[in-house]
Amino acid sequence: MKVLVINCGSSSLKYQLIDSDSENVLAKGLCERIGIDGRLVYQKAGLDKEITEAPMPTHKEAIQLVLDALTNEKTGAIKSLSEVEAIGHRVVHGGEKFASSAIITDDMLKAVEECNELAPLHNPANLIGINVCAELMPGVPQVAVFDTAFHQTMPPRAYLYGLPIRYYRDYKVRRYGFHGTSHSYVSKRAAEFLGLDPENSRIIVCHLGNGSSISAVQNGKCIDTTMGLTPLEGVVMGTRSGSIDPAIMEYVAKKDNLDIAGVMNVLNKKSGLLGMSGVSSDMRDLEAAAAEDNKDAKNAFDVLTYDIIKYVGGYVAAMNGVDAVIFTAGIGENDGKVRAAVVKNLAYLGVTLDEEANKVRGEEVVISTPDSKVKVAVIPTNEELAICRDTVALVQGK
Ligand code: AMP
């Protein structure tokens, strides 16, 4: 089955066309600057990237351009759109309504719309993508795969905040967690790769990218994760602060004469590695600056790795032990320095780093020595493939 996977952001859109039988990517790319000017990146498997500047006033024109590229006579991956048998959409927030992926129906879309308030920047864009695909490819079944769904197994002790309970009851203020598709895919793959029993295992997944989150997965189910009501909570990230004393917000607002939107903008876009270092949100730039003795960049690196060490330790305690610690996403898969700094502080678990294995980038590899009591590994994430698999399973009624 050929499955189109769509991930719509507010002004961008990523896509992949996947053959679900072979799990090969037939074509992939992205649309950028939707609503501004427009740029389409398209790459058929085995060919070079094609970049086209093309007006995209809305997501509708963007998706139409993707469909045109996919069926282009010379470089298209398919001859006709009728070859696309299902569409899988990433949807950021499913609230408490969705604990798994779901076939898209009119009733179901109403329930997704009710979650918009919880992710006002993301969910409306995801819904636009769904509606435009329904219009341009009528009759093709569509599936929503939620970033929050995998974390719905968390118990109240992990998802409730120490706030008046009516905020939860009336406004649904609680920990939801994000990157769920990645945490689900990586924890399952880790169990397979390491020969662990998925029903009897304790795995900590460190998804470290521009956005970062860590989750504790016990017997295949998420029992805790670092992101919260929104993706702002948890470890320090590229531009997001991660967890801070909430009183800082009022203090800084008064000092800098900011309103709530102004403070939120600082916490989401001007903090994290970028804000701390003044250099960049990109780990590679940060490490280059640290290598030249930039103290702020060094401190930003240390804050990130110390955060990871503390959350991992917390989750070891929460699960009363751990079988495997997994690194994934841009930093987790590629950055041996971050992994080494974290693994150094896992000696209390009987873990030693295999320095040679830790040099590997972007591949499935065990980076703990064979005599280590707990396994540490790198497992590249693949959210698109996970979305494709869920889409096929639901469309085929499995
Ligand atoms: P993601 O959001 O998963 O795409 O991850 C993006 C992050 O991964 C950025 O901070 C990049 O700097 C980081 N990253 C990608 N490649 C490398 C690398 N080779 N070394 C260190 N960090 C990397």
Side-chain angles (χ1 to χ4, degrees):
M1 181 183 275
K2 288 182 182 118
V3 180
L4 181 59
V5 174
I6 302 252
N7 178 356
C8 262
S10 52
S11 68
S12 68
L13 177 165
K14 289 190 213 145
Y15 64 92
Q16 284 194 4
L17 182 69
I18 302 176
D19 177 343
S20 68
D21 299 323
S22 63
E23 297 198 331
N24 285 336
V25 177
L26 305 175
K28 65 178 180 180
L30 72 155
C31 296
E32 292 171 304
R33 302 176 60 83
I34 301 171
I36 305 165
D37 37 29
R39 183 167 182 261
L40 170 76
V41 180
Y42 172 80
Q43 186 172 30
K44 185 183 172 183
L47 298 184
D48 289 339
K49 264 186 201 162
E50 293 170 26
I51 298 174
T52 319
E53 310 289 334
M56 296 172 193
T58 69
H59 286 74
K60 186 169 176 183
E61 291 81 13
I63 293 181
Q64 185 64 62
L65 285 162
V66 170
L67 301 180
D68 291 346
L70 287 171
T71 51
N72 180 285
E73 246 176 64
K74 280 191 194 138
T75 53
I78 46 176
K79 290 211 170 64
S80 126
L81 278 185
S82 62
E83 287 179 52
V84 177
E85 286 176 89
I87 306 165
H89 291 268
R90 173 188 184 221
V91 177
V92 167
H93 222 306
E96 288 187 326
K97 293 178 199 291
F98 296 99
S100 58
S101 303
I103 294 250
I104 293 169
T105 62
D106 289 346
D107 282 349
M108 175 272 185
L109 280 184
K110 283 197 196 100
V112 177
E113 264 168 39
E114 286 166 21
C115 302
N116 280 6
E117 240 185 352
L118 291 168
L121 295 179
H122 292 97
N123 266 31
N126 302 153
L127 283 165
I128 289 171
I130 292 169
N131 289 326
V132 170
C133 284
E135 200 183 324
L136 297 177
M137 285 183 281
V140 180
Q142 301 198 77
V143 167
V145 178
F146 299 93
D147 252 28
T148 47
F150 182 63
H151 303 300
Q152 277 296 301
T153 47
M154 282 188 289
R157 63 168 184 252
Y159 72 66
L160 287 176
Y161 290 112
L163 292 169
I165 195 63
R166 75 177 183 88
Y167 290 166
Y168 170 61
R169 299 228 167 97
D170 298 347
Y171 307 144
K172 296 286 166 227
V173 172
R174 53 159 284 176
R175 176 182 313 287
Y176 290 97
F178 298 86
H179 294 139
T181 312
S182 176
H183 287 286
S184 165
Y185 173 87
V186 169
S187 57
K188 284 188 186 75
R189 183 65 206 130
E192 260 171 26
F193 181 63
L194 299 173
L196 299 171
D197 176 0
E199 303 301 319
N200 186 18
S201 55
R202 294 164 295 185
I203 299 174
I204 296 173
V205 177
C206 305
H207 176 115
L208 310 173
N210 194 32
S212 297
S213 65
I214 302 179
S215 68
V217 182
Q218 189 160 12
N219 305 336
K221 292 192 168 63
C222 175
I223 61 129
D224 205 349
T225 191
T226 54
M227 282 180 169
L229 174 77
T230 75
L232 185 55
E233 197 182 350
V235 290
V236 70
M237 308 181 211
T239 63
R240 283 173 244 163
S241 63
S243 297
I244 58 164
D245 178 348
I248 292 170
M249 298 172 70
E250 186 200 19
Y251 187 78
V252 167
K254 281 186 182 154
K255 289 274 181 206
D256 272 6
N257 197 22
L258 294 171
D259 59 9
I260 288 184
V263 176
M264 292 309 293
N265 187 46
V266 172
L267 296 185
N268 274 306
K269 304 215 169 118
K270 297 185 177 166
S271 301
L273 302 179
L274 170 69
M276 292 190 72
S277 68
V279 173
S280 169
S281 63
D282 192 299
M283 202 60 194
R284 288 163 290 198
D285 301 338
L286 196 80
E287 284 172 13
E292 290 185 358
D293 227 17
N294 180 319
K295 290 233 167 15
D296 292 334
K298 275 188 182 169
N299 281 335
F301 179 94
D302 288 347
V303 168
L304 171 64
T305 51
Y306 186 61
D307 266 358
I308 301 166
I309 288 165
K310 286 194 295 183
Y311 279 112
V312 168
Y315 290 161
V316 171
M319 295 192 286
N320 205 2
V322 66
D323 299 305
V325 178
I326 310 296
F327 290 93
T328 194
I331 296 172
E333 290 167 29
N334 295 299
D335 196 329
K337 284 203 188 86
V338 167
R339 294 192 303 246
V342 174
V343 173
K344 204 172 100 204
N345 270 48
L346 297 182
Y348 70 98
L349 292 172
V351 175
T352 320
L353 182 70
D354 179 336
E355 310 262 356
E356 268 314 297
N358 192 41
K359 287 182 184 152
V360 173
R361 280 182 39 197
E363 272 178 44
E364 287 183 348
V365 61
V366 176
I367 59 166
S368 49
T369 53
D371 60 337
S372 292
K373 293 201 180 76
V374 171
K375 288 180 177 151
V376 182
V378 177
I379 304 276
T381 192
N382 194 338
E383 287 164 280
E384 290 78 12
L385 180 57
I387 293 173
C388 170
R389 285 180 181 168
D390 271 18
T391 302
V392 172
L394 279 166
V395 167
Q396 293 182 339
K398 282 182 191 157

